[in-house]
Each structure stands twice: as structure tokens, then as C-alpha cells.
Amino acid sequence: MNQPQVRKGGILVAVASAIIYSGVSVLAKFAYRYNLSPVQLLKERYLLASIILVVIIGLLNWHLLFPRNWHEAGVLLGFSAVFVTGPTLLYFTALRLLPVSTAMFLFHCYPAFAGLFAWIFLHERVTRGYLASVGVIAVGLLLLLGASFHSVSGIGILTMLACTVAYALYAVLSQRVIRGVDPRTLGLYNQVAPAMVLCLLTIGQPVFYPAVFSSRTAMLVFAGIGLSAAGGMFLFVQGIAMIGAQRAVIIDSLEPVLSALYALVLLGERMKPVALIGGILIVAGVVIGNLPSTKHNVPSTLPSTTAQ
């Protein structure tokens, strides 16, 4: 397959990832109707995604199921247990309190914080492209919050912003802590480690809660969460391999827009025009910060696929 065909195929794969993964938040909203806590819902999500990914990766290349040595295994498990479980738990807690569209647009402010942490911890140069990106994201954030603050949970907004900061820290530190790991192996352990942590936090409770099997609708919802999370992550990693992280992250920025559309159609959630403009500006800021002409790379170790 020649280079233009690889690029075209990679773009399609990355778009498919965004389409699939943007449904996770909407499905989570449905799942909350079965009276599970964020910890319980997140445990089911990670367990199902882990099982699906083990099967997919095992069928394609079973060697990728295992780290290269014990040290790498410990780093993958420990780092993912802390820096994936924490932000994702914050994300799912905020999602319970916020409209899907507001939550998704807020989360995608993380590149602004990631650039700041990259400057602090990795000593990366602050470029004009990054400053322009932060400026556009800041305007979008002000419009989004200005239109939404009095109509949505303030605690939910603060929780999602905490998630955004925590995820940005993960994205930056992962560049230093986890080097040379195959992205597919990293993606798998980003699911397995949180599943282990959440099973320990809910020890004594069922591995799969009765609510998961309470009706055909419930089974479809929970299966959809697992499939969306695992499939979206796997396709995103494949997209990075085919077209590079910068292009994949730009395409990944479609997620909040698609989530807002899904929320409108399936949940009846409507955004105020000003809030929608603010959300679109946030997406535009992410795109600006990832344009190939800039030297500032927003870390993209699984940007929306990790914390959602």
C-alpha cells in the first residue's frame, strides 16, 4: 500500500475511532439510570474493555499482551493504576453531574494544561502556536462556562476541570515514564490496571453487578460502553501508527462535537448557542495547537480514550 493510501486509510481509522468513542459518555448517562455509583460503573467499563482488548490483541499478536520485562510491567501497572484511574474517576463523577456536551468540551481543554506541564517538567519551549491555542481555548472556555455556569452543577464543572488537569499531567509524565512501549500494550494496561484497582475498591461486591443483566437494554448499554471504549482506543492507536499523533489528535477533536450531537439525538440535551460556540472554539484551539507547522506537540498517549 503506497503512502497516500496509508494516509487515507489512517484518516478513516482515526475518524472511526472518534465516531465510536464519542458514544461512551452518552452510554454512561444511560447506565447511571441503573443506580450504579461512578466507581461501580467505571469498574464495569474497565472490566468489559479489558476483556475485549485482550481478545482483539491476542488474536492479532499475542506477544503484545505482555510487557517486555518485569520492570516494564510494574511501571505500566503502577503508572496506569494512579494516573488513569484517578482522572477517569473524576471524569465519570463529573459526567453524572453535567450534560454530556458540557463535560466533553470541558475535558478537551486539557492540551492547554498539558503544554504548561510540558514546559515545567520536560522543559519544552513555549511556541507562538501553543500560545495561540491557549488563547482560543481560554475564550471558548469563558463562553462555555458563562453560558452554562448558572444552569449546571458548579461541583460538576470543578470536578471536570480537576480531571482535565490530572489527565494533562498524565499525558506529559507518560512521555518520560513510559518510553518504548508498544501503544497497543500501553492501551491494554491502561484498561487492565484501573480494572484491578476498582475491583479492589469494591472488594466483596459482585464482579459484574445484577443491573448489567437486568434487561436487554441494560446489557446493550453496558456492552456498548465496553465495546466503544475498547474499539475506540484500539482504532485510535492504529490511526497514530498510520498518520502520526498530530493528525490523529486533530481528528480526535471531533469527539466533543459528535458527543454533543449524540446527546441531542438520544438524550434531548440542548446547548445554548453561546455555549456551543465556546465549545467549538475549544476544539479549534486544540486543532491549532496540533497543526504540523507548530513545534509544540500536545502529548497524545490516549487523550480522550484514556480518561473517558
Side-chain angles (χ1 to χ4, degrees):
M1 188 179 292
N2 58 39
Q3 192 62 29
Q5 289 176 318
V6 171
R7 185 178 294 113
K8 184 177 179 180
I11 291 172
L12 292 175
V13 168
V15 170
S17 169
I19 291 172
I20 292 172
Y21 207 88
S22 54
V24 171
S25 299
V26 176
L27 290 171
K29 276 287 192 181
F30 277 109
Y32 273 132
R33 297 177 181 180
Y34 295 94
N35 298 317
L36 295 181
S37 69
V39 171
Q40 292 171 328
L41 176 56
L42 201 55
K43 182 180 79 171
E44 306 299 69
R45 177 252 196 232
Y46 276 121
L47 282 171
L48 289 166
S50 297
I51 293 169
I52 293 168
L53 280 175
V54 166
V55 173
I56 293 174
I57 294 175
L59 290 174
L60 293 176
N61 186 349
W62 66 270
H63 294 286
L64 296 173
L65 294 174
F66 307 100
R68 293 168 294 185
N69 51 59
W70 287 108
H71 174 73
E72 186 174 278
V75 171
L76 279 173
L77 287 171
F79 190 75
S80 297
V82 175
F83 285 96
V84 176
T85 309
T88 315
L89 188 55
L90 287 169
Y91 181 91
F92 270 67
T93 300
L95 188 62
R96 193 177 190 179
L97 301 170
L98 296 174
V100 169
S101 50
T102 302
M104 286 292 288
F105 282 124
L106 280 175
F107 174 74
H108 276 74
C109 291
Y110 83 86
F113 296 105
L116 176 62
F117 291 142
W119 173 65
I120 294 172
F121 295 110
L122 304 180
H123 308 294
E124 289 189 3
R125 186 167 64 90
V126 176
T127 66
R128 291 179 180 177
Y130 170 67
L131 293 176
S133 170
V134 170
V136 175
I137 289 174
V139 173
L141 184 60
L142 287 173
L143 291 175
L144 179 66
L145 294 183
S148 304
F149 192 81
H150 297 294
S151 57
V152 300
S153 168
I155 295 176
I157 289 174
L158 292 175
T159 303
M160 183 55 77
L161 289 175
C163 164
T164 301
V165 172
Y167 179 67
L169 186 61
Y170 159 79
V172 170
L173 292 181
S174 64
Q175 292 191 103
R176 175 168 292 182
V177 176
I178 305 172
R179 289 181 176 176
V181 180
D182 188 284
R184 290 164 292 185
T185 303
L186 175 59
L188 174 62
Y189 280 79
N190 278 344
Q191 312 297 318
V192 171
M196 295 169 62
V197 171
L198 293 164
C199 283
L200 289 174
L201 290 176
T202 57
I203 194 166
Q205 299 180 13
V207 176
F208 289 106
Y209 296 102
V212 176
F213 309 101
S214 61
S215 67
R216 182 178 299 177
T217 301
M219 287 190 288
L220 288 173
V221 167
F222 284 98
I225 290 174
L227 286 168
S228 296
M233 187 286 300
F234 185 79
L235 289 172
F236 182 73
V237 168
Q238 295 299 113
I240 288 177
M242 298 173 76
I243 61 175
Q246 283 187 323
R247 289 190 179 93
V249 170
I250 289 174
I251 295 172
D252 180 69
S253 299
L254 289 171
E255 281 188 24
V257 179
L258 292 171
S259 291
L261 178 61
Y262 293 160
L264 173 63
V265 174
L266 299 175
L267 300 174
E269 292 185 0
R270 295 179 180 273
M271 295 190 74
K272 295 179 180 179
V274 174
L276 182 59
I277 293 171
I280 292 173
L281 282 176
I282 290 172
V283 172
V286 176
V287 172
I288 290 170
N290 282 279
L291 290 174
S293 58
T294 66
K295 295 183 179 180
H296 174 78
N297 291 331
V298 175
S300 59
T301 315
L302 290 179
S304 52
T305 54
T306 311
Q308 293 176 49

